Amino acid sequence: MNSGGSSATVEVEHLTKIYRVHKRPPGLAAAMKSLLRRRYEEVRAVDDLSLSIAPGERVGFLGPNGAGKTTTLKVLSGLLHPTAGKVRVAGHVPQERQAAFLKRITLVMGQKQQLLWDLPPSETFALNRAVYDIPRVQFEETLEELTRLLEIGEVVGKPTRQLSLGERMKCELAAALLHRPEVLFLDEPTIGLDVSMQLTVREFVRRYNERFGATVMLTSHYMDDVAALCPRVVVIDQGKLRYDGGLAELVRTRRPEKRAVVGFERPVVRAELEESLGGMGRVVEHSDGKAVIQVRQSDLKAALAMVLARFPVADLTVEDPPLEEVMRELFAGEKPR
Amino acid sequence: MTMRAALRAYPTLLRVGLAEAVAYRAEMLVWMLTTTMPLVSLALWHAVAESGPIGRFGPRELTSYFLAGLIVRQVTSSWVVWEMNQEIRTGTLSLRLLRPIHPLLGYSAENLAALPIRGALSLPVALAMLFLGGSEGVSRFLDDPTLVPMLIAALVGAWLITFLLMCAIGALGFFMESSSSVFEVYLGLFFALSGYLFPLEFLAARAPWVMGATRALPFYYQLGFPIELMLGLLDRRAALRGLAIEWAYVAFFYLLATRLWRLGMRRFGAYGA
């Protein structure tokens, strides 16, 4: 039930969120002074942000620490009132926090948990069944499915405090999705998890999205999460929109080069390799039996042909530059538009 | 969430709240000990009354009064202000706000859920002592069954005033860095003016205007009023007047707490979460 004929699930128009923060220098004198006179400063966490997300989309929300990602997610989930601008999620104004809205969304925060600490996750599930008013049959079906997909059958009966971080996060996801929300806001859902658990969570989010057609907005510092899950990324920095579009396109426009990882049958001298490349590219990593060569897309064929012809190549793969590097460059170089 | 849906959810909230209360055994015991101050007051005033009654209160009446005080404290106590302060400061309130049930309802269930345990552990001792003491107040209370519904209404009202007043103070945490200092002020007033440290009738001879003032303030209705009702110290008319004032305070603190909550939500920063 979207308003104004729009088919978007998330609509953000000129969103601005300003925090008023008490500021004082360190030390006892400053502490005493602040008793009499307080200095406040305004922090513009989100600055004139506009974006729109269609139903069923998976969007990566990226930016350096303090960029305003979490603040935006909190506004979208109704926890914060915007200072200015309009926001609609699933046809609702989030800050009104209507029950019908809260039943259609979920916000999973990797650093915070809703699971009751001293009780088994099954108690939190029962609590959520009651507060979300989930019909018992639907609850049992969903719980069975989530338990199977997340492989948490063994742990739901143990007190939460005795679970590992990965087990807790999987149960956290189950608790957050029992009411089958249409919109998932995931704030660093894989933080602190090992690689295999990250993979499990990622795969699960993808399956949930495909199974229920849910819209997913994800922040993560692990670029692998974003690369694996999100065809579209929104990049913000200092609260301002820096990029909104396809992930592949972002990589292509920011770093048009490709990387060739070449394994050699015997050691190759770096200088010889660089000299042979001429102006086509450069060697970015080198060890006795291996080199990573960065080459312009247009010169890729020629460069590879040259390397194959002149050097004892044992193994060759071509890949995009690491997403982390692309992001680092994006945050470091470009001014807000 | 509609009221009907909230009522459907409430038994589960109470059940899970009880499970949590049982999980925090040591904490629960310590909290219960903090409400046993009436026993200390009893010992002190008992010693004083041995040299002669104070107004209507001889040693036996004082025993009844403070044991009744212990019961009322156990079944009407609330600690929501601590939770609210902590959750607003750390931002963990966010997790409550994401659920489609008003957080104040959630807090109320958590507080109420622990009462059966508090009651179960403290009531038998206090009741046994009350009956063994053979207090006139107790027998009068048992002889007049119309006092039962009034006492229930007085206890529910006392709990609601305590809970809602704490919610109002807790909601001040949205506007100041911590509202626990306000709570300390409240606690001082509560101790002095509720009948917690001594029966307020003691003020009748020396400071009648202070006693009159206590009847107009909410603190008496949180403790002294239900105790006096329980012991049969109030006639029917005084009891009904007391109930009317008590429930007017319930309505007042309900409006105050919900208003402060709504205003505070606009300022909530959800820091750290």
Side-chain angles (χ1 to χ4, degrees), chain B residues 60-73:
Chain B
R60 259 174 50 184
E61 287 73 25
L62 280 169
T63 305
S64 301
Y65 182 90
F66 285 110
L67 290 178
L70 179 64
I71 298 170
V72 174
R73 276 287 279 166

PDB file of all heavy atoms in Angstrom, chain B residues 60-73:
ATOM      1  N   ARG B  60       2.102  -3.473  69.607  1.00  0.00           N
ATOM      2  CA  ARG B  60       1.407  -4.419  68.727  1.00  0.00           C
ATOM      3  C   ARG B  60       0.954  -3.769  67.430  1.00  0.00           C
ATOM      4  O   ARG B  60       1.103  -4.313  66.338  1.00  0.00           O
ATOM      5  CB  ARG B  60       0.188  -5.013  69.447  1.00  0.00           C
ATOM      6  CG  ARG B  60       0.478  -6.415  69.972  1.00  0.00           C
ATOM      7  CD  ARG B  60      -0.641  -6.933  70.802  1.00  0.00           C
ATOM      8  NE  ARG B  60      -1.950  -6.796  70.141  1.00  0.00           N
ATOM      9  CZ  ARG B  60      -3.090  -7.119  70.732  1.00  0.00           C
ATOM     10  NH1 ARG B  60      -3.092  -7.564  71.970  1.00  0.00           N
ATOM     11  NH2 ARG B  60      -4.242  -6.997  70.100  1.00  0.00           N
ATOM     12  N   GLU B  61       0.411  -2.559  67.551  1.00  0.00           N
ATOM     13  CA  GLU B  61      -0.072  -1.842  66.357  1.00  0.00           C
ATOM     14  C   GLU B  61       1.104  -1.498  65.437  1.00  0.00           C
ATOM     15  O   GLU B  61       0.993  -1.569  64.220  1.00  0.00           O
ATOM     16  CB  GLU B  61      -0.807  -0.554  66.744  1.00  0.00           C
ATOM     17  CG  GLU B  61      -2.181  -0.761  67.344  1.00  0.00           C
ATOM     18  CD  GLU B  61      -2.111  -1.308  68.766  1.00  0.00           C
ATOM     19  OE1 GLU B  61      -1.084  -1.092  69.440  1.00  0.00           O
ATOM     20  OE2 GLU B  61      -3.074  -1.976  69.186  1.00  0.00           O
ATOM     21  N   LEU B  62       2.214  -1.162  66.073  1.00  0.00           N
ATOM     22  CA  LEU B  62       3.398  -0.843  65.237  1.00  0.00           C
ATOM     23  C   LEU B  62       3.890  -2.082  64.501  1.00  0.00           C
ATOM     24  O   LEU B  62       4.282  -2.018  63.333  1.00  0.00           O
ATOM     25  CB  LEU B  62       4.515  -0.267  66.111  1.00  0.00           C
ATOM     26  CG  LEU B  62       4.344   1.217  66.463  1.00  0.00           C
ATOM     27  CD1 LEU B  62       5.333   1.636  67.542  1.00  0.00           C
ATOM     28  CD2 LEU B  62       4.556   2.093  65.216  1.00  0.00           C
ATOM     29  N   THR B  63       3.845  -3.221  65.197  1.00  0.00           N
ATOM     30  CA  THR B  63       4.262  -4.471  64.529  1.00  0.00           C
ATOM     31  C   THR B  63       3.391  -4.703  63.301  1.00  0.00           C
ATOM     32  O   THR B  63       3.891  -4.962  62.190  1.00  0.00           O
ATOM     33  CB  THR B  63       4.121  -5.667  65.493  1.00  0.00           C
ATOM     34  OG1 THR B  63       4.861  -5.385  66.669  1.00  0.00           O
ATOM     35  CG2 THR B  63       4.605  -6.951  64.848  1.00  0.00           C
ATOM     36  N   SER B  64       2.077  -4.573  63.508  1.00  0.00           N
ATOM     37  CA  SER B  64       1.157  -4.780  62.378  1.00  0.00           C
ATOM     38  C   SER B  64       1.449  -3.785  61.263  1.00  0.00           C
ATOM     39  O   SER B  64       1.482  -4.145  60.083  1.00  0.00           O
ATOM     40  CB  SER B  64      -0.294  -4.585  62.827  1.00  0.00           C
ATOM     41  OG  SER B  64      -0.595  -5.474  63.841  1.00  0.00           O
ATOM     42  N   TYR B  65       1.646  -2.536  61.648  1.00  0.00           N
ATOM     43  CA  TYR B  65       1.842  -1.480  60.636  1.00  0.00           C
ATOM     44  C   TYR B  65       3.057  -1.788  59.752  1.00  0.00           C
ATOM     45  O   TYR B  65       2.975  -1.768  58.517  1.00  0.00           O
ATOM     46  CB  TYR B  65       2.027  -0.122  61.323  1.00  0.00           C
ATOM     47  CG  TYR B  65       2.183   1.017  60.329  1.00  0.00           C
ATOM     48  CD1 TYR B  65       1.071   1.717  59.870  1.00  0.00           C
ATOM     49  CD2 TYR B  65       3.440   1.368  59.826  1.00  0.00           C
ATOM     50  CE1 TYR B  65       1.198   2.738  58.943  1.00  0.00           C
ATOM     51  CE2 TYR B  65       3.579   2.386  58.897  1.00  0.00           C
ATOM     52  CZ  TYR B  65       2.466   3.071  58.465  1.00  0.00           C
ATOM     53  OH  TYR B  65       2.594   4.066  57.537  1.00  0.00           O
ATOM     54  N   PHE B  66       4.180  -2.084  60.377  1.00  0.00           N
ATOM     55  CA  PHE B  66       5.389  -2.244  59.561  1.00  0.00           C
ATOM     56  C   PHE B  66       5.408  -3.575  58.803  1.00  0.00           C
ATOM     57  O   PHE B  66       5.982  -3.656  57.720  1.00  0.00           O
ATOM     58  CB  PHE B  66       6.643  -2.065  60.427  1.00  0.00           C
ATOM     59  CG  PHE B  66       6.876  -0.616  60.764  1.00  0.00           C
ATOM     60  CD1 PHE B  66       6.708  -0.138  62.055  1.00  0.00           C
ATOM     61  CD2 PHE B  66       7.227   0.293  59.773  1.00  0.00           C
ATOM     62  CE1 PHE B  66       6.902   1.204  62.356  1.00  0.00           C
ATOM     63  CE2 PHE B  66       7.425   1.644  60.071  1.00  0.00           C
ATOM     64  CZ  PHE B  66       7.250   2.103  61.370  1.00  0.00           C
ATOM     65  N   LEU B  67       4.774  -4.599  59.369  1.00  0.00           N
ATOM     66  CA  LEU B  67       4.687  -5.841  58.592  1.00  0.00           C
ATOM     67  C   LEU B  67       3.755  -5.654  57.395  1.00  0.00           C
ATOM     68  O   LEU B  67       4.037  -6.144  56.295  1.00  0.00           O
ATOM     69  CB  LEU B  67       4.206  -6.999  59.478  1.00  0.00           C
ATOM     70  CG  LEU B  67       5.239  -7.446  60.515  1.00  0.00           C
ATOM     71  CD1 LEU B  67       4.675  -8.557  61.381  1.00  0.00           C
ATOM     72  CD2 LEU B  67       6.524  -7.919  59.849  1.00  0.00           C
ATOM     73  N   ALA B  68       2.671  -4.925  57.618  1.00  0.00           N
ATOM     74  CA  ALA B  68       1.792  -4.606  56.478  1.00  0.00           C
ATOM     75  C   ALA B  68       2.565  -3.763  55.453  1.00  0.00           C
ATOM     76  O   ALA B  68       2.419  -3.942  54.241  1.00  0.00           O
ATOM     77  CB  ALA B  68       0.560  -3.856  56.960  1.00  0.00           C
ATOM     78  N   GLY B  69       3.406  -2.864  55.977  1.00  0.00           N
ATOM     79  CA  GLY B  69       4.245  -2.034  55.083  1.00  0.00           C
ATOM     80  C   GLY B  69       5.164  -2.895  54.238  1.00  0.00           C
ATOM     81  O   GLY B  69       5.368  -2.641  53.043  1.00  0.00           O
ATOM     82  N   LEU B  70       5.697  -3.944  54.873  1.00  0.00           N
ATOM     83  CA  LEU B  70       6.581  -4.851  54.126  1.00  0.00           C
ATOM     84  C   LEU B  70       5.805  -5.517  52.985  1.00  0.00           C
ATOM     85  O   LEU B  70       6.289  -5.597  51.853  1.00  0.00           O
ATOM     86  CB  LEU B  70       7.127  -5.915  55.084  1.00  0.00           C
ATOM     87  CG  LEU B  70       8.053  -6.959  54.483  1.00  0.00           C
ATOM     88  CD1 LEU B  70       9.325  -6.323  53.966  1.00  0.00           C
ATOM     89  CD2 LEU B  70       8.390  -8.036  55.500  1.00  0.00           C
ATOM     90  N   ILE B  71       4.579  -5.954  53.295  1.00  0.00           N
ATOM     91  CA  ILE B  71       3.767  -6.615  52.257  1.00  0.00           C
ATOM     92  C   ILE B  71       3.466  -5.634  51.114  1.00  0.00           C
ATOM     93  O   ILE B  71       3.657  -5.954  49.937  1.00  0.00           O
ATOM     94  CB  ILE B  71       2.433  -7.127  52.840  1.00  0.00           C
ATOM     95  CG1 ILE B  71       2.705  -8.179  53.916  1.00  0.00           C
ATOM     96  CG2 ILE B  71       1.545  -7.706  51.749  1.00  0.00           C
ATOM     97  CD1 ILE B  71       1.479  -8.555  54.714  1.00  0.00           C
ATOM     98  N   VAL B  72       3.016  -4.431  51.479  1.00  0.00           N
ATOM     99  CA  VAL B  72       2.654  -3.454  50.441  1.00  0.00           C
ATOM    100  C   VAL B  72       3.875  -3.115  49.582  1.00  0.00           C
ATOM    101  O   VAL B  72       3.790  -3.055  48.355  1.00  0.00           O
ATOM    102  CB  VAL B  72       2.043  -2.176  51.074  1.00  0.00           C
ATOM    103  CG1 VAL B  72       1.801  -1.113  50.002  1.00  0.00           C
ATOM    104  CG2 VAL B  72       0.741  -2.502  51.774  1.00  0.00           C
ATOM    105  N   ARG B  73       5.016  -2.939  50.218  1.00  0.00           N
ATOM    106  CA  ARG B  73       6.233  -2.626  49.438  1.00  0.00           C
ATOM    107  C   ARG B  73       6.572  -3.766  48.470  1.00  0.00           C
ATOM    108  O   ARG B  73       6.935  -3.535  47.325  1.00  0.00           O
ATOM    109  CB  ARG B  73       7.427  -2.416  50.389  1.00  0.00           C
ATOM    110  CG  ARG B  73       7.514  -1.025  50.934  1.00  0.00           C
ATOM    111  CD  ARG B  73       7.987  -0.032  49.888  1.00  0.00           C
ATOM    112  NE  ARG B  73       9.422  -0.036  49.706  1.00  0.00           N
ATOM    113  CZ  ARG B  73      10.046   0.528  48.697  1.00  0.00           C
ATOM    114  NH1 ARG B  73       9.352   1.125  47.743  1.00  0.00           N
ATOM    115  NH2 ARG B  73      11.347   0.504  48.604  1.00  0.00           N
TER     116      ARG B  73
END
